Amino acid sequence: GNSVTQMEGPVTLSEEAFLTINCTYTATGYPSLFWYVQYPGEGLQLLLKATKADDKGSNKGFEATYRKETTSFHLEKGSVQVSDSAVYFCALAGNNRKLIWGLGTSLAVNP
Amino acid sequence: EAGVAQSPRYKIIEKRQSVAFWCNPISGHATLYWYQQILGQGPKLLIQFQNNGVVDDSQLPKDRFSAERLKGVDSTLKIQPAKLEDSAVYLCASSSSAGTGKNTGELFFGEGSRLTVL
């Protein structure tokens, strides 16, 4: 069945550092891929998405590219800020449109 | 546009007691989801409604959990009797595209209801 694996946290970075959070998936067909973010005390919100191979999703300085050859959707940001401290979830939606979630990666950015 | 509203934000109960959570989705969203998120884990889908019909409740512990969505708008999730392992955040989400054939997966979440069972 479909599954998502993302790197374990917590990840701790200094402000302005480069961020990568790895996400790989297993799926039949052509899933859509997502990154959701959960800021402290808030609900989950969609950060970015990609619906087909080679698409790049981007938002708030974050980017992720749908790589079918490596079944990956790694999240990157060139220069993180303290306000980026949150939990990041990778997810996929298969042909049945059901969302499959990763376990989440906690990011802490220190000033 | 108003977001997904949930209440209460926090609830503390003793085991074997009952609790109910309420959700009001974004206006016009046909699909409503209840998720359970245990600390350190990803969200687990409990039940999905399309309008007022159940689409998926395969992971809902039906011996103690129940949910309804009367009139296809608001929804309530009830736990009776609660167990210690039910301590979690219960997330409500809604979307407008499920059932249309468009595979977007974009869900809009409420802030969640944090349940502590003692």
Side-chain angles (χ1 to χ4, degrees):
Chain A
N2 296 346
S3 68
V4 173
T5 303
Q6 61 181 107
M7 65 185 282
E8 291 187 22
V11 174
T12 303
L13 296 173
S14 297
E15 208 164 21
E16 299 183 2
F18 184 86
L19 169 71
T20 300
I21 301 178
N22 291 337
C23 172
T24 58
Y25 68 89
T26 302
T28 55
Y30 302 93
S32 295
L33 300 172
F34 308 86
W35 278 101
Y36 278 81
V37 59
Q38 190 171 30
Y39 297 104
E42 298 184 15
L44 284 155
Q45 56 186 275
L46 180 66
L47 180 60
L48 53 83
K49 66 180 181 184
T51 58
K52 61 182 187 295
D54 300 324
D55 267 3
K56 178 186 285 187
S58 61
N59 186 24
K60 298 182 181 181
F62 290 88
E63 292 183 340
T65 301
Y66 188 149
R67 302 281 188 203
K68 192 164 177 64
E69 64 275 16
T70 54
T71 62
S72 66
F73 193 55
H74 304 323
L75 182 68
E76 296 182 337
K77 185 173 186 181
S79 177
V80 293
Q81 305 300 311
V82 172
S83 57
D84 294 325
S85 298
V87 181
Y88 293 82
F89 290 90
C90 185
L92 73 80
N95 293 333
N96 62 1
R97 297 187 296 276
K98 185 174 180 178
L99 269 179
I100 306 298
W101 297 82
L103 294 180
T105 302
S106 176
L107 170 66
V109 180
N110 298 321
Chain B
E1 176 181 77
V4 176
Q6 288 189 246
S7 67
R9 287 292 311 275
Y10 304 93
K11 188 73 176 179
I12 300 174
I13 61 173
E14 295 189 349
K15 59 183 179 183
R16 291 187 289 274
Q17 288 186 321
S18 63
V19 62
F21 302 113
W22 172 83
C23 174
N24 179 242
I26 291 174
S27 178
H29 279 191
T31 309
L32 185 147
Y33 311 78
W34 282 102
Y35 283 88
Q36 180 192 59
Q37 187 177 18
I38 293 174
L39 187 65
Q41 298 183 19
K44 170 188 168 184
L45 180 66
L46 293 176
I47 189 167
Q48 176 183 341
F49 292 95
Q50 178 74 10
N51 296 309
N52 60 349
V54 175
V55 173
D56 183 351
D57 64 355
S58 57
Q59 297 194 89
L60 186 73
K62 298 180 185 64
D63 57 333
R64 298 182 301 104
F65 287 65
S66 64
E68 61 181 9
R69 191 183 184 196
L70 299 176
K71 302 181 181 178
V73 182
D74 292 5
S75 177
T76 55
L77 175 71
K78 296 180 181 178
I79 307 173
Q80 181 180 12
K83 291 186 175 182
L84 296 177
E85 59 261 36
D86 298 332
S87 295
V89 177
Y90 292 86
L91 299 167
C92 180
S94 68
S95 72
S96 63
S97 59
T100 65
K102 185 177 181 183
N103 188 4
T104 68
E106 182 168 0
L107 274 58
F108 296 82
F109 284 84
E111 292 180 322
S113 295
R114 182 178 297 276
L115 173 65
T116 301
V117 182
L118 303 175

